[in-house]
Amino acid sequence: MVAMALLLVAVVLAGCNPLNPEELRRQVESFRSIAAEGSLIAADVADDRTKATFVRVQADTLAGEADDGAQKLNDASAPEDLQQHVARAIDLAQRASAALGDLAVSPGNEAVGAQAEDELRRIAAEAEEQAAAINEEEP
Amino acid sequence: MSRIFQVALGILAAIGGFVDIGDLVFNTQAGALYGYDLLWAVVVGVVGIVVYAEMCGRVAAVTKRPVMTVIRQRLGFSTGLVVLIASMILNLLTLAAETGGVALVLQLFFDASYSLFVLIAVIALVLIIWVSPFEVIERLFGYVGLALLVYVASAIHLDPDWSAVGEGFAPQAPGSALYAYFAVGLVAAALMPYEVWFYSSGAVEERWEPKDLSINTANAVLGFGLGGLLSIGLMITAAQVFHPIGVQPDTIGTVALGAQVSFGEVGLLLALVGIAFAVGGAAVDTCFAGAYNLSQFLGWEWGKYRRPSRAPRFTLTWLLLFALAFVVIQTGIDPIELTEYAVVLSVVALPFTYLPVLLIAGDPTFMGEHTNGRISNLLGWLYLVVIVVIAVAAIPLLFATNAGGG
C-alpha cells in the first residue's frame, strides 16, 4: 500500500517538472536521428538494395520511437515560451512515424521508398533547424 | 594449415569481447557522435587485452592454471569469492544480453515475435554447445563471426579522409564528460574480464604446454587484433554514414544499416550473419566463463573436452546459466541496455582479475624461464594503472552522462 502511494507520488512529481529547453532540444535531435536513419532505409528501398523483413522491422522500431517521443512531449508540461516548439516537434514526430509506417507496410515498393526518402529528409532538416533554434533561444 | 585454425580460440575470445551486442552499438555510437576522434581508445584497449591475454595464456600453458584459480590462490578465498560473485552476475547479465541480441538479429531476418526468437536462440545455442566439441564451437562462431569484416571493407569503400582517420589515432584530452564516458567505455569493453576467463580456460582445454607459447602469442595478437580491427571498421563506417546526418544509433538494426549503405543487400546480409555469430560467440564465451569460474573456484571437474557425465556440475552450471538468462530476458529488458549495466559491473572485477595474472606471470617460481620479460612487465603494470583509472572513473561517468545519453 505504501509502495503504491510512493509510486504514485513519483509519477505525479515526474509530470510536475516543466519541460526545459535542453530536454526539448534533445528530443528534437532524436527525431532528427529517427528521420535521418529512416531516410537511409527509404533510399535503399527506392533503389531495391535491401531486404523487406529488415525494412519492416527497423521501420516499425523507428516509428515506435517517434511515437513514444511524441507522447512524452504531449504529456510534458511545457512553459509558454516552448509550447510552439513542442507543437512543431510533435508534428515532426508524427510525420516521421507516418512515413516510416508507409515503409513498414510496403517495404518492397520502390515508389513508396522514394516518397518516404524525400519526406524523411525534409523532416530531418526541419528538426535540425528547430534544434538549432531552441539552442539559440536558450538563456 | 592446422596452425591457422589454432588461432580460432583467440578469434572467438576476441569476437566475444570486442563485438558483443553492446560493443557493436557502442562503437557505432562513438563513430556517429565523434567521427574518428575515438579511434585511439580502441587501440589502447587492443594493446591492453593483447598484453593480458598473452599473459593469461602463458600462465595457463606453463602452470596449467586458468585465471580464476590464479585469483583464488593469489588473493585468497574472501577476495576470490567477491570476484567470483561479481563474475557470475556479470556473466549471467551478459549472457542474457547476448542471447537477446541473437534473437534481435533473427527478428531482422525473419520478422516474427521476439519472444519466439529468444526461445529459439537459447535452444539453438544449448544444442550447438551440447553436441559440438570445443574446437568446432571455436571455429564456427569465430570464423563465421568474421563476416563482420564487411565493416572493414565498408570503411575503405566509403573513402574517408584518411588523414582525418589518422588523426583519430592520436589520443585527445576529453572535452566533455560524454567524450570521457565513451573513451573509458571503449577501453573497458576491450578489457572485459570474461574474455580472459574464457581464453585461459580454453587454453587449458586445448592442453597448451610451453611448446605452444607461439600459438598463444599468435592467438593473442591475431585474435584480439582482429577484434580491434572490426571495432575500427565499425567506427569509421559510422563516422562516414551516421555522423554527417546526426543519426544516434541505439539498435542493432542501425548497426547493420551501416553495411547496407555501402554494399546494399549483400552488405546487410553479411552484417547480420556476422553479428548473429559474433553475438552468439559472446554468449558462448560468457556462458563458459561462468561455468569455468564456478567450477575452478569450487574445485569441480570442468571442461567441454570432458563428457558431461565426467563434469556434471560444470555442465549443469552452464545449462542453468542459459535457463536463468532466458528468465532475465523475459523481463523485457533491452539487451543493449543490459550490456551497459554489465560493463559497469565488470569494473568491479577488472583490477582483481588482472592483478593476480600480472603477479603470477612475473613470478619465476611459477613461470620459470617463461616469466614476464621487461616489456611485458612494463606494459602489464602500465595497464594495471589504466585499469584502476577505468575502475574509478566508470561509475561516476555513467551517472554524469546519463549512461551516454548526454
Side-chain angles (χ1 to χ4, degrees), chain B residues 272-319:
Chain B
L272 289 176
V273 168
I275 291 169
F277 279 82
V279 173
V284 170
D285 277 10
T286 50
C287 136
F288 274 169
Y292 286 143
N293 284 357
L294 188 64
S295 302
Q296 288 157 15
F297 190 87
L298 295 177
W300 298 342
E301 291 293 334
W302 60 271
K304 182 68 178 77
Y305 69 89
R306 286 194 160 92
R307 288 172 189 255
S309 56
R310 291 294 194 93
R313 284 176 281 191
F314 168 79
T315 304
L316 194 60
T317 302
W318 69 258
L319 285 169

mmCIF file of all heavy atoms in Angstrom, chain B residues 272-319:
data_model
loop_
_atom_site.group_PDB
_atom_site.id
_atom_site.type_symbol
_atom_site.label_atom_id
_atom_site.label_comp_id
_atom_site.label_asym_id
_atom_site.label_seq_id
_atom_site.Cartn_x
_atom_site.Cartn_y
_atom_site.Cartn_z
ATOM 1 N N LEU B 272 24.435 -8.980 -40.850
ATOM 2 C CA LEU B 272 23.518 -9.695 -39.949
ATOM 3 C C LEU B 272 24.065 -11.070 -39.577
ATOM 4 O O LEU B 272 23.978 -11.488 -38.412
ATOM 5 C CB LEU B 272 22.128 -9.825 -40.599
ATOM 6 C CG LEU B 272 21.329 -8.521 -40.711
ATOM 7 C CD1 LEU B 272 20.027 -8.748 -41.460
ATOM 8 C CD2 LEU B 272 21.032 -7.932 -39.336
ATOM 9 N N VAL B 273 24.637 -11.773 -40.550
ATOM 10 C CA VAL B 273 25.229 -13.086 -40.242
ATOM 11 C C VAL B 273 26.402 -12.916 -39.281
ATOM 12 O O VAL B 273 26.526 -13.631 -38.284
ATOM 13 C CB VAL B 273 25.692 -13.792 -41.543
ATOM 14 C CG1 VAL B 273 26.568 -15.004 -41.226
ATOM 15 C CG2 VAL B 273 24.491 -14.224 -42.372
ATOM 16 N N GLY B 274 27.257 -11.940 -39.602
ATOM 17 C CA GLY B 274 28.408 -11.687 -38.734
ATOM 18 C C GLY B 274 27.976 -11.330 -37.327
ATOM 19 O O GLY B 274 28.524 -11.839 -36.339
ATOM 20 N N ILE B 275 26.982 -10.454 -37.220
ATOM 21 C CA ILE B 275 26.501 -10.040 -35.901
ATOM 22 C C ILE B 275 25.913 -11.240 -35.157
ATOM 23 O O ILE B 275 26.197 -11.453 -33.972
ATOM 24 C CB ILE B 275 25.449 -8.914 -36.021
ATOM 25 C CG1 ILE B 275 26.108 -7.625 -36.512
ATOM 26 C CG2 ILE B 275 24.764 -8.663 -34.683
ATOM 27 C CD1 ILE B 275 25.115 -6.532 -36.913
ATOM 28 N N ALA B 276 25.117 -12.049 -35.852
ATOM 29 C CA ALA B 276 24.489 -13.213 -35.193
ATOM 30 C C ALA B 276 25.548 -14.141 -34.603
ATOM 31 O O ALA B 276 25.430 -14.590 -33.464
ATOM 32 C CB ALA B 276 23.611 -13.970 -36.188
ATOM 33 N N PHE B 277 26.594 -14.410 -35.395
ATOM 34 C CA PHE B 277 27.608 -15.353 -34.907
ATOM 35 C C PHE B 277 28.567 -14.699 -33.914
ATOM 36 O O PHE B 277 29.051 -15.351 -32.993
ATOM 37 C CB PHE B 277 28.357 -15.990 -36.080
ATOM 38 C CG PHE B 277 27.594 -17.124 -36.683
ATOM 39 C CD1 PHE B 277 26.576 -16.893 -37.602
ATOM 40 C CD2 PHE B 277 27.857 -18.433 -36.293
ATOM 41 C CE1 PHE B 277 25.832 -17.944 -38.129
ATOM 42 C CE2 PHE B 277 27.121 -19.488 -36.813
ATOM 43 C CZ PHE B 277 26.107 -19.245 -37.736
ATOM 44 N N ALA B 278 28.828 -13.428 -34.084
ATOM 45 C CA ALA B 278 29.675 -12.748 -33.100
ATOM 46 C C ALA B 278 28.962 -12.674 -31.756
ATOM 47 O O ALA B 278 29.557 -12.958 -30.711
ATOM 48 C CB ALA B 278 30.026 -11.338 -33.584
ATOM 49 N N VAL B 279 27.715 -12.311 -31.792
ATOM 50 C CA VAL B 279 26.945 -12.203 -30.553
ATOM 51 C C VAL B 279 26.703 -13.598 -29.961
ATOM 52 O O VAL B 279 26.779 -13.797 -28.745
ATOM 53 C CB VAL B 279 25.622 -11.448 -30.821
ATOM 54 C CG1 VAL B 279 24.715 -11.469 -29.619
ATOM 55 C CG2 VAL B 279 25.922 -10.012 -31.216
ATOM 56 N N GLY B 280 26.450 -14.573 -30.838
ATOM 57 C CA GLY B 280 26.343 -15.954 -30.365
ATOM 58 C C GLY B 280 27.646 -16.420 -29.733
ATOM 59 O O GLY B 280 27.660 -17.100 -28.712
ATOM 60 N N GLY B 281 28.763 -16.019 -30.360
ATOM 61 C CA GLY B 281 30.073 -16.346 -29.807
ATOM 62 C C GLY B 281 30.273 -15.716 -28.439
ATOM 63 O O GLY B 281 30.839 -16.329 -27.535
ATOM 64 N N ALA B 282 29.783 -14.490 -28.290
ATOM 65 C CA ALA B 282 29.862 -13.828 -26.989
ATOM 66 C C ALA B 282 29.036 -14.569 -25.956
ATOM 67 O O ALA B 282 29.414 -14.674 -24.784
ATOM 68 C CB ALA B 282 29.400 -12.379 -27.102
ATOM 69 N N ALA B 283 27.890 -15.102 -26.385
ATOM 70 C CA ALA B 283 27.060 -15.898 -25.473
ATOM 71 C C ALA B 283 27.828 -17.147 -25.019
ATOM 72 O O ALA B 283 27.814 -17.502 -23.835
ATOM 73 C CB ALA B 283 25.748 -16.303 -26.155
ATOM 74 N N VAL B 284 28.515 -17.773 -25.956
ATOM 75 C CA VAL B 284 29.311 -18.958 -25.619
ATOM 76 C C VAL B 284 30.436 -18.584 -24.649
ATOM 77 O O VAL B 284 30.655 -19.251 -23.634
ATOM 78 C CB VAL B 284 29.918 -19.589 -26.894
ATOM 79 C CG1 VAL B 284 30.934 -20.661 -26.556
ATOM 80 C CG2 VAL B 284 28.815 -20.157 -27.777
ATOM 81 N N ASP B 285 31.135 -17.486 -24.962
ATOM 82 C CA ASP B 285 32.219 -17.003 -24.082
ATOM 83 C C ASP B 285 31.724 -16.836 -22.658
ATOM 84 O O ASP B 285 32.346 -17.305 -21.701
ATOM 85 C CB ASP B 285 32.693 -15.604 -24.535
ATOM 86 C CG ASP B 285 33.702 -15.634 -25.661
ATOM 87 O OD1 ASP B 285 33.920 -16.707 -26.243
ATOM 88 O OD2 ASP B 285 34.262 -14.562 -25.949
ATOM 89 N N THR B 286 30.623 -16.118 -22.516
ATOM 90 C CA THR B 286 30.174 -15.756 -21.163
ATOM 91 C C THR B 286 29.574 -16.942 -20.434
ATOM 92 O O THR B 286 29.753 -17.087 -19.229
ATOM 93 C CB THR B 286 29.152 -14.610 -21.205
ATOM 94 O OG1 THR B 286 28.136 -14.926 -22.156
ATOM 95 C CG2 THR B 286 29.810 -13.315 -21.593
ATOM 96 N N CYS B 287 28.888 -17.794 -21.158
ATOM 97 C CA CYS B 287 28.294 -18.971 -20.507
ATOM 98 C C CYS B 287 29.407 -19.886 -20.008
ATOM 99 O O CYS B 287 29.383 -20.341 -18.858
ATOM 100 C CB CYS B 287 27.358 -19.654 -21.501
ATOM 101 S SG CYS B 287 27.468 -21.407 -21.580
ATOM 102 N N PHE B 288 30.392 -20.121 -20.848
ATOM 103 C CA PHE B 288 31.516 -20.954 -20.410
ATOM 104 C C PHE B 288 32.325 -20.262 -19.319
ATOM 105 O O PHE B 288 32.769 -20.900 -18.373
ATOM 106 C CB PHE B 288 32.422 -21.285 -21.595
ATOM 107 C CG PHE B 288 31.984 -22.501 -22.369
ATOM 108 C CD1 PHE B 288 32.557 -22.809 -23.584
ATOM 109 C CD2 PHE B 288 30.994 -23.332 -21.890
ATOM 110 C CE1 PHE B 288 32.152 -23.933 -24.304
ATOM 111 C CE2 PHE B 288 30.581 -24.455 -22.601
ATOM 112 C CZ PHE B 288 31.169 -24.748 -23.807
ATOM 113 N N ALA B 289 32.534 -18.944 -19.470
ATOM 114 C CA ALA B 289 33.302 -18.217 -18.457
ATOM 115 C C ALA B 289 32.656 -18.413 -17.085
ATOM 116 O O ALA B 289 33.347 -18.633 -16.088
ATOM 117 C CB ALA B 289 33.402 -16.732 -18.805
ATOM 118 N N GLY B 290 31.340 -18.337 -17.025
ATOM 119 C CA GLY B 290 30.634 -18.515 -15.754
ATOM 120 C C GLY B 290 30.812 -19.917 -15.208
ATOM 121 O O GLY B 290 31.116 -20.112 -14.024
ATOM 122 N N ALA B 291 30.642 -20.911 -16.082
ATOM 123 C CA ALA B 291 30.775 -22.304 -15.637
ATOM 124 C C ALA B 291 32.219 -22.619 -15.258
ATOM 125 O O ALA B 291 32.475 -23.306 -14.264
ATOM 126 C CB ALA B 291 30.293 -23.247 -16.742
ATOM 127 N N TYR B 292 33.168 -22.100 -16.034
ATOM 128 C CA TYR B 292 34.584 -22.298 -15.696
ATOM 129 C C TYR B 292 34.883 -21.706 -14.318
ATOM 130 O O TYR B 292 35.500 -22.362 -13.460
ATOM 131 C CB TYR B 292 35.492 -21.594 -16.711
ATOM 132 C CG TYR B 292 35.616 -22.230 -18.075
ATOM 133 C CD1 TYR B 292 35.700 -21.437 -19.216
ATOM 134 C CD2 TYR B 292 35.691 -23.618 -18.230
ATOM 135 C CE1 TYR B 292 35.844 -21.995 -20.484
ATOM 136 C CE2 TYR B 292 35.832 -24.184 -19.486
ATOM 137 C CZ TYR B 292 35.900 -23.370 -20.613
ATOM 138 O OH TYR B 292 36.037 -23.922 -21.864
ATOM 139 N N ASN B 293 34.458 -20.448 -14.123
ATOM 140 C CA ASN B 293 34.823 -19.751 -12.882
ATOM 141 C C ASN B 293 34.281 -20.481 -11.658
ATOM 142 O O ASN B 293 35.004 -20.682 -10.668
ATOM 143 C CB ASN B 293 34.283 -18.317 -12.897
ATOM 144 C CG ASN B 293 35.109 -17.406 -13.783
ATOM 145 O OD1 ASN B 293 36.113 -17.834 -14.347
ATOM 146 N ND2 ASN B 293 34.692 -16.164 -13.906
ATOM 147 N N LEU B 294 33.030 -20.848 -11.704
ATOM 148 C CA LEU B 294 32.427 -21.504 -10.537
ATOM 149 C C LEU B 294 33.103 -22.845 -10.274
ATOM 150 O O LEU B 294 33.447 -23.181 -9.127
ATOM 151 C CB LEU B 294 30.918 -21.705 -10.776
ATOM 152 C CG LEU B 294 30.120 -22.202 -9.571
ATOM 153 C CD1 LEU B 294 30.142 -21.162 -8.456
ATOM 154 C CD2 LEU B 294 28.670 -22.513 -9.952
ATOM 155 N N SER B 295 33.318 -23.601 -11.332
ATOM 156 C CA SER B 295 33.923 -24.927 -11.181
ATOM 157 C C SER B 295 35.355 -24.831 -10.667
ATOM 158 O O SER B 295 35.774 -25.587 -9.779
ATOM 159 C CB SER B 295 33.930 -25.659 -12.522
ATOM 160 O OG SER B 295 32.629 -25.771 -13.019
ATOM 161 N N GLN B 296 36.099 -23.868 -11.225
ATOM 162 C CA GLN B 296 37.501 -23.729 -10.820
ATOM 163 C C GLN B 296 37.600 -23.255 -9.365
ATOM 164 O O GLN B 296 38.449 -23.712 -8.617
ATOM 165 C CB GLN B 296 38.225 -22.765 -11.767
ATOM 166 C CG GLN B 296 38.463 -23.375 -13.147
ATOM 167 C CD GLN B 296 38.644 -22.333 -14.226
ATOM 168 O OE1 GLN B 296 38.875 -21.157 -13.963
ATOM 169 N NE2 GLN B 296 38.568 -22.781 -15.479
ATOM 170 N N PHE B 297 36.717 -22.346 -9.001
ATOM 171 C CA PHE B 297 36.764 -21.819 -7.634
ATOM 172 C C PHE B 297 36.427 -22.907 -6.622
ATOM 173 O O PHE B 297 37.033 -22.990 -5.549
ATOM 174 C CB PHE B 297 35.798 -20.637 -7.491
ATOM 175 C CG PHE B 297 35.948 -19.889 -6.197
ATOM 176 C CD1 PHE B 297 36.877 -18.860 -6.080
ATOM 177 C CD2 PHE B 297 35.179 -20.212 -5.081
ATOM 178 C CE1 PHE B 297 37.028 -18.166 -4.888
ATOM 179 C CE2 PHE B 297 35.336 -19.518 -3.885
ATOM 180 C CZ PHE B 297 36.258 -18.497 -3.790
ATOM 181 N N LEU B 298 35.446 -23.733 -6.968
ATOM 182 C CA LEU B 298 34.990 -24.752 -6.012
ATOM 183 C C LEU B 298 35.695 -26.094 -6.181
ATOM 184 O O LEU B 298 35.402 -27.048 -5.454
ATOM 185 C CB LEU B 298 33.471 -24.947 -6.171
ATOM 186 C CG LEU B 298 32.642 -23.703 -5.797
ATOM 187 C CD1 LEU B 298 31.160 -23.939 -6.049
ATOM 188 C CD2 LEU B 298 32.850 -23.329 -4.324
ATOM 189 N N GLY B 299 36.606 -26.150 -7.161
ATOM 190 C CA GLY B 299 37.391 -27.376 -7.325
ATOM 191 C C GLY B 299 36.649 -28.518 -7.986
ATOM 192 O O GLY B 299 36.982 -29.689 -7.795
ATOM 193 N N TRP B 300 35.613 -28.184 -8.783
ATOM 194 C CA TRP B 300 34.887 -29.239 -9.500
ATOM 195 C C TRP B 300 35.656 -29.649 -10.746
ATOM 196 O O TRP B 300 36.458 -28.872 -11.281
ATOM 197 C CB TRP B 300 33.514 -28.737 -9.951
ATOM 198 C CG TRP B 300 32.582 -28.345 -8.853
ATOM 199 C CD1 TRP B 300 32.674 -28.701 -7.531
ATOM 200 C CD2 TRP B 300 31.427 -27.524 -8.978
ATOM 201 N NE1 TRP B 300 31.623 -28.141 -6.829
ATOM 202 C CE2 TRP B 300 30.848 -27.421 -7.685
ATOM 203 C CE3 TRP B 300 30.799 -26.882 -10.047
ATOM 204 C CZ2 TRP B 300 29.677 -26.694 -7.454
ATOM 205 C CZ3 TRP B 300 29.646 -26.152 -9.807
ATOM 206 C CH2 TRP B 300 29.097 -26.061 -8.522
ATOM 207 N N GLU B 301 35.355 -30.821 -11.256
ATOM 208 C CA GLU B 301 35.848 -31.200 -12.580
ATOM 209 C C GLU B 301 35.191 -30.256 -13.593
ATOM 210 O O GLU B 301 33.994 -29.964 -13.491
ATOM 211 C CB GLU B 301 35.432 -32.642 -12.914
ATOM 212 C CG GLU B 301 36.125 -33.709 -12.066
ATOM 213 C CD GLU B 301 37.603 -33.787 -12.348
ATOM 214 O OE1 GLU B 301 38.040 -33.437 -13.463
ATOM 215 O OE2 GLU B 301 38.352 -34.194 -11.436
ATOM 216 N N TRP B 302 35.946 -29.828 -14.537
ATOM 217 C CA TRP B 302 35.379 -28.888 -15.516
ATOM 218 C C TRP B 302 35.968 -29.114 -16.879
ATOM 219 O O TRP B 302 37.013 -29.731 -17.018
ATOM 220 C CB TRP B 302 35.616 -27.430 -15.087
ATOM 221 C CG TRP B 302 37.061 -27.045 -14.949
ATOM 222 C CD1 TRP B 302 37.826 -27.159 -13.821
ATOM 223 C CD2 TRP B 302 37.928 -26.524 -15.953
ATOM 224 N NE1 TRP B 302 39.108 -26.732 -14.065
ATOM 225 C CE2 TRP B 302 39.198 -26.322 -15.359
ATOM 226 C CE3 TRP B 302 37.767 -26.185 -17.300
ATOM 227 C CZ2 TRP B 302 40.281 -25.798 -16.063
ATOM 228 C CZ3 TRP B 302 38.845 -25.658 -18.002
ATOM 229 C CH2 TRP B 302 40.100 -25.474 -17.379
ATOM 230 N N GLY B 303 35.277 -28.571 -17.908
ATOM 231 C CA GLY B 303 35.835 -28.618 -19.251
ATOM 232 C C GLY B 303 34.863 -29.177 -20.268
ATOM 233 O O GLY B 303 34.162 -30.166 -19.996
ATOM 234 N N LYS B 304 34.839 -28.539 -21.413
ATOM 235 C CA LYS B 304 33.990 -29.013 -22.512
ATOM 236 C C LYS B 304 34.581 -30.290 -23.095
ATOM 237 O O LYS B 304 33.859 -31.090 -23.672
ATOM 238 C CB LYS B 304 33.866 -27.914 -23.568
ATOM 239 C CG LYS B 304 32.961 -28.277 -24.729
ATOM 240 C CD LYS B 304 31.508 -28.388 -24.299
ATOM 241 C CE LYS B 304 30.602 -28.708 -25.468
ATOM 242 N NZ LYS B 304 30.617 -30.103 -25.905
ATOM 243 N N TYR B 305 35.922 -30.467 -22.939
ATOM 244 C CA TYR B 305 36.523 -31.660 -23.525
ATOM 245 C C TYR B 305 36.160 -32.920 -22.740
ATOM 246 O O TYR B 305 36.329 -34.030 -23.213
ATOM 247 C CB TYR B 305 38.052 -31.509 -23.623
ATOM 248 C CG TYR B 305 38.786 -31.503 -22.300
ATOM 249 C CD1 TYR B 305 39.227 -32.698 -21.719
ATOM 250 C CD2 TYR B 305 39.044 -30.319 -21.635
ATOM 251 C CE1 TYR B 305 39.905 -32.693 -20.509
ATOM 252 C CE2 TYR B 305 39.718 -30.313 -20.420
ATOM 253 C CZ TYR B 305 40.145 -31.497 -19.865
ATOM 254 O OH TYR B 305 40.807 -31.487 -18.666
ATOM 255 N N ARG B 306 35.617 -32.715 -21.526
ATOM 256 C CA ARG B 306 35.147 -33.870 -20.743
ATOM 257 C C ARG B 306 33.707 -34.177 -21.145
ATOM 258 O O ARG B 306 32.928 -33.268 -21.406
ATOM 259 C CB ARG B 306 35.186 -33.557 -19.247
ATOM 260 C CG ARG B 306 36.555 -33.541 -18.636
ATOM 261 C CD ARG B 306 36.461 -33.554 -17.097
ATOM 262 N NE ARG B 306 37.712 -33.994 -16.516
ATOM 263 C CZ ARG B 306 38.687 -33.179 -16.159
ATOM 264 N NH1 ARG B 306 38.566 -31.878 -16.299
ATOM 265 N NH2 ARG B 306 39.804 -33.663 -15.649
ATOM 266 N N ARG B 307 33.363 -35.443 -21.106
ATOM 267 C CA ARG B 307 31.952 -35.794 -21.307
ATOM 268 C C ARG B 307 31.130 -35.170 -20.180
ATOM 269 O O ARG B 307 31.613 -35.049 -19.058
ATOM 270 C CB ARG B 307 31.749 -37.303 -21.225
ATOM 271 C CG ARG B 307 32.275 -38.075 -22.389
ATOM 272 C CD ARG B 307 32.164 -39.561 -22.066
ATOM 273 N NE ARG B 307 32.849 -40.342 -23.064
ATOM 274 C CZ ARG B 307 32.234 -41.051 -24.013
ATOM 275 N NH1 ARG B 307 30.915 -41.099 -24.050
ATOM 276 N NH2 ARG B 307 32.912 -41.715 -24.899
ATOM 277 N N PRO B 308 29.875 -34.840 -20.455
ATOM 278 C CA PRO B 308 29.028 -34.260 -19.395
ATOM 279 C C PRO B 308 28.975 -35.117 -18.133
ATOM 280 O O PRO B 308 28.937 -34.593 -17.018
ATOM 281 C CB PRO B 308 27.639 -34.193 -20.055
ATOM 282 C CG PRO B 308 27.930 -34.025 -21.499
ATOM 283 C CD PRO B 308 29.179 -34.824 -21.762
ATOM 284 N N SER B 309 29.019 -36.420 -18.302
ATOM 285 C CA SER B 309 28.942 -37.291 -17.116
ATOM 286 C C SER B 309 30.218 -37.214 -16.276
ATOM 287 O O SER B 309 30.212 -37.518 -15.080
ATOM 288 C CB SER B 309 28.697 -38.742 -17.531
ATOM 289 O OG SER B 309 29.707 -39.163 -18.439
ATOM 290 N N ARG B 310 31.316 -36.759 -16.917
ATOM 291 C CA ARG B 310 32.582 -36.645 -16.180
ATOM 292 C C ARG B 310 32.736 -35.279 -15.519
ATOM 293 O O ARG B 310 33.598 -35.110 -14.664
ATOM 294 C CB ARG B 310 33.763 -36.851 -17.153
ATOM 295 C CG ARG B 310 33.886 -38.265 -17.679
ATOM 296 C CD ARG B 310 34.249 -39.237 -16.551
ATOM 297 N NE ARG B 310 34.693 -40.517 -17.056
ATOM 298 C CZ ARG B 310 35.966 -40.827 -17.275
ATOM 299 N NH1 ARG B 310 36.927 -39.957 -17.030
ATOM 300 N NH2 ARG B 310 36.271 -42.013 -17.729
ATOM 301 N N ALA B 311 31.942 -34.333 -15.967
ATOM 302 C CA ALA B 311 31.969 -32.985 -15.376
ATOM 303 C C ALA B 311 30.533 -32.514 -15.194
ATOM 304 O O ALA B 311 30.099 -31.520 -15.799
ATOM 305 C CB ALA B 311 32.755 -32.019 -16.263
ATOM 306 N N PRO B 312 29.765 -33.243 -14.374
ATOM 307 C CA PRO B 312 28.322 -32.977 -14.299
ATOM 308 C C PRO B 312 27.980 -31.607 -13.740
ATOM 309 O O PRO B 312 27.031 -30.965 -14.213
ATOM 310 C CB PRO B 312 27.799 -34.101 -13.376
ATOM 311 C CG PRO B 312 28.976 -34.557 -12.594
ATOM 312 C CD PRO B 312 30.178 -34.344 -13.473
ATOM 313 N N ARG B 313 28.723 -31.152 -12.734
ATOM 314 C CA ARG B 313 28.382 -29.857 -12.127
ATOM 315 C C ARG B 313 28.761 -28.709 -13.054
ATOM 316 O O ARG B 313 28.074 -27.697 -13.132
ATOM 317 C CB ARG B 313 29.051 -29.720 -10.751
ATOM 318 C CG ARG B 313 28.317 -30.553 -9.696
ATOM 319 C CD ARG B 313 28.979 -30.534 -8.343
ATOM 320 N NE ARG B 313 30.119 -31.442 -8.288
ATOM 321 C CZ ARG B 313 30.738 -31.781 -7.165
ATOM 322 N NH1 ARG B 313 30.331 -31.303 -6.002
ATOM 323 N NH2 ARG B 313 31.773 -32.600 -7.197
ATOM 324 N N PHE B 314 29.858 -28.874 -13.793
ATOM 325 C CA PHE B 314 30.228 -27.874 -14.801
ATOM 326 C C PHE B 314 29.128 -27.796 -15.855
ATOM 327 O O PHE B 314 28.681 -26.693 -16.228
ATOM 328 C CB PHE B 314 31.565 -28.266 -15.443
ATOM 329 C CG PHE B 314 31.912 -27.494 -16.685
ATOM 330 C CD1 PHE B 314 32.434 -26.218 -16.598
ATOM 331 C CD2 PHE B 314 31.713 -28.047 -17.952
ATOM 332 C CE1 PHE B 314 32.750 -25.502 -17.746
ATOM 333 C CE2 PHE B 314 32.037 -27.336 -19.096
ATOM 334 C CZ PHE B 314 32.549 -26.058 -18.994
ATOM 335 N N THR B 315 28.683 -28.944 -16.321
ATOM 336 C CA THR B 315 27.659 -28.997 -17.361
ATOM 337 C C THR B 315 26.347 -28.397 -16.866
ATOM 338 O O THR B 315 25.707 -27.596 -17.553
ATOM 339 C CB THR B 315 27.423 -30.458 -17.802
ATOM 340 O OG1 THR B 315 28.674 -31.011 -18.213
ATOM 341 C CG2 THR B 315 26.425 -30.533 -18.953
ATOM 342 N N LEU B 316 25.990 -28.770 -15.650
ATOM 343 C CA LEU B 316 24.751 -28.233 -15.083
ATOM 344 C C LEU B 316 24.830 -26.722 -14.927
ATOM 345 O O LEU B 316 23.845 -26.012 -15.135
ATOM 346 C CB LEU B 316 24.522 -28.884 -13.712
ATOM 347 C CG LEU B 316 23.140 -28.712 -13.107
ATOM 348 C CD1 LEU B 316 22.081 -29.319 -14.016
ATOM 349 C CD2 LEU B 316 23.063 -29.387 -11.733
ATOM 350 N N THR B 317 26.014 -26.224 -14.591
ATOM 351 C CA THR B 317 26.182 -24.774 -14.388
ATOM 352 C C THR B 317 25.911 -24.021 -15.676
ATOM 353 O O THR B 317 25.183 -23.026 -15.674
ATOM 354 C CB THR B 317 27.599 -24.455 -13.870
ATOM 355 O OG1 THR B 317 27.828 -25.158 -12.666
ATOM 356 C CG2 THR B 317 27.752 -22.959 -13.622
ATOM 357 N N TRP B 318 26.504 -24.465 -16.782
ATOM 358 C CA TRP B 318 26.280 -23.667 -17.996
ATOM 359 C C TRP B 318 24.851 -23.806 -18.505
ATOM 360 O O TRP B 318 24.275 -22.860 -19.057
ATOM 361 C CB TRP B 318 27.332 -23.916 -19.083
ATOM 362 C CG TRP B 318 27.390 -25.224 -19.800
ATOM 363 C CD1 TRP B 318 28.273 -26.247 -19.569
ATOM 364 C CD2 TRP B 318 26.587 -25.654 -20.907
ATOM 365 N NE1 TRP B 318 28.057 -27.268 -20.454
ATOM 366 C CE2 TRP B 318 27.037 -26.940 -21.290
ATOM 367 C CE3 TRP B 318 25.531 -25.075 -21.639
ATOM 368 C CZ2 TRP B 318 26.462 -27.658 -22.331
ATOM 369 C CZ3 TRP B 318 24.962 -25.790 -22.680
ATOM 370 C CH2 TRP B 318 25.418 -27.073 -23.018
ATOM 371 N N LEU B 319 24.240 -24.980 -18.268
ATOM 372 C CA LEU B 319 22.823 -25.133 -18.639
ATOM 373 C C LEU B 319 21.948 -24.213 -17.784
ATOM 374 O O LEU B 319 21.027 -23.555 -18.288
ATOM 375 C CB LEU B 319 22.389 -26.586 -18.455
ATOM 376 C CG LEU B 319 22.882 -27.558 -19.525
ATOM 377 C CD1 LEU B 319 22.626 -28.998 -19.101
ATOM 378 C CD2 LEU B 319 22.218 -27.284 -20.867
#
